[in-house]
Amino acid sequence: MATADTVHDAHRTPFRASLALLLATLLPALPPAAAARHERHVPFGDRLTLHTAAPAARPAGGARAPRLRLARGGLEAYDPDTGARRWTYAREGHRPLQVARPARGEAVALWDDGLVTGTALHGRALSVWHRGVPGARRRPARGALHLLGAPPGAVAVVTPRLVTAYGPGDGDLRWHREAGPGCAFDPTRTAHHAGLLLIARHCAPGTPWTSRIAAVSATAPFA
């Protein structure tokens, strides 16, 4: 004779079977969906493409550095001998404003959202680092990108508020210098002299003329 509990379980069995069948149908589909979301979420919108392998090293100093240009909203590196594209680096929804080449196979760029990136080709792999430039996020067009010192040296980004220097190979912060109270750097008025970057600085009236020029190097900012 079936008890009340037995009858109750008998009524629940079809529901449990249906639930198990539903879960068995849905669960295998979850990993691909999660993977698809992961594939769409690319950090900083990076799109790195290696078109050709790095050329073999030549006896007299190795392969020549690639030619760089701004194209298609990103950076393109070309073989200086054959003209073939080596690699392309783009960021979805953004464009580079300036690009510099600190060393063979490397490129540093300042982007329209105030991000500075370093792209390097290592054999058959591309790598990239990202750094946010203080003071350049709202008005990145007012920033200026400069190479400091002999390679590896440093990469400096000049904005009205401050100058920031990064290691070209890894993006590590080297140093930063503020324009100071009542002063502002002029990214459009700079000059390189004897390993130094000279930057015009606008200050309040009455400021000594010696304070109207700032000098920085790959290793340190000067007074």
Side-chain angles (χ1 to χ4, degrees), residues 53-66 79-81 86 101 103-105 121:
R58 297 180 176 88
R64 294 171 58 194
D79 188 287
D81 298 317
R86 289 189 186 174
R101 187 179 60 205
R104 178 182 293 114
L121 176 61

Side-chain angles (χ1 to χ4, degrees), residues 18 21 26 29 38 54 66 78 95 99 116-117 119 126 146 151 164 179 197:
S18 300
L21 179 61
L26 291 180
H38 179 71
Y78 291 83
R95 62 185 179 87
V99 62
V116 62
T117 64
T119 310
L126 280 171
H146 292 273
T164 311
L197 174 64

Side-chain angles (χ1 to χ4, degrees), residues 137-218:
R137 184 170 184 178
R138 293 184 179 181
R139 305 186 68 178
R142 298 192 63 189
L145 189 67
H146 292 273
L147 298 180
L148 303 178
V155 178
V157 180
V158 182
T159 66
R161 188 167 65 88
L162 66 125
V163 184
T164 311
Y166 304 90
D170 51 17
D172 282 352
L173 177 64
R174 296 284 183 82
W175 51 261
H176 71 270
R177 176 182 178 175
E178 297 182 357
C183 297
F185 293 119
D186 187 345
T188 66
R189 299 177 61 194
T190 61
H192 289 265
H193 178 71
L196 299 177
L197 174 64
L198 306 178
I199 309 167
R201 182 167 52 178
H202 302 299
C203 296
T207 303
W209 70 269
T210 53
S211 299
R212 297 181 183 273
I213 298 179
V216 298
S217 73

Side-chain angles (χ1 to χ4, degrees), residues 16-46:
R16 288 177 176 174
S18 300
L19 179 60
L21 179 61
L22 179 63
L23 291 177
T25 303
L26 291 180
L27 286 178
L30 290 179
R37 288 196 298 270
H38 179 71
E39 289 172 0
R40 288 195 298 267
H41 179 66
V42 181
F44 304 102
D46 288 349

Side-chain angles (χ1 to χ4, degrees), residues 22-118:
L22 179 63
L23 291 177
T25 303
L26 291 180
L27 286 178
L30 290 179
R37 288 196 298 270
H38 179 71
E39 289 172 0
R40 288 195 298 267
H41 179 66
V42 181
F44 304 102
D46 288 349
R47 291 183 177 178
L48 291 163
T49 305
L50 181 61
H51 300 285
T52 60
R58 297 180 176 88
R64 294 171 58 194
R67 292 184 293 107
L68 299 174
R69 76 170 185 174
L70 305 180
R72 299 186 182 92
L75 308 180
E76 292 184 340
Y78 291 83
D79 188 287
D81 298 317
T82 66
R85 275 191 300 176
R86 289 189 186 174
W87 53 261
T88 301
Y89 171 47
R91 295 180 56 223
E92 186 175 0
H94 298 285
R95 62 185 179 87
L97 303 177
Q98 300 176 46
V99 62
R101 187 179 60 205
R104 178 182 293 114
E106 298 180 357
V108 177
L110 177 63
W111 296 76
D112 59 357
D113 60 348
L115 201 70
V116 62
T117 64

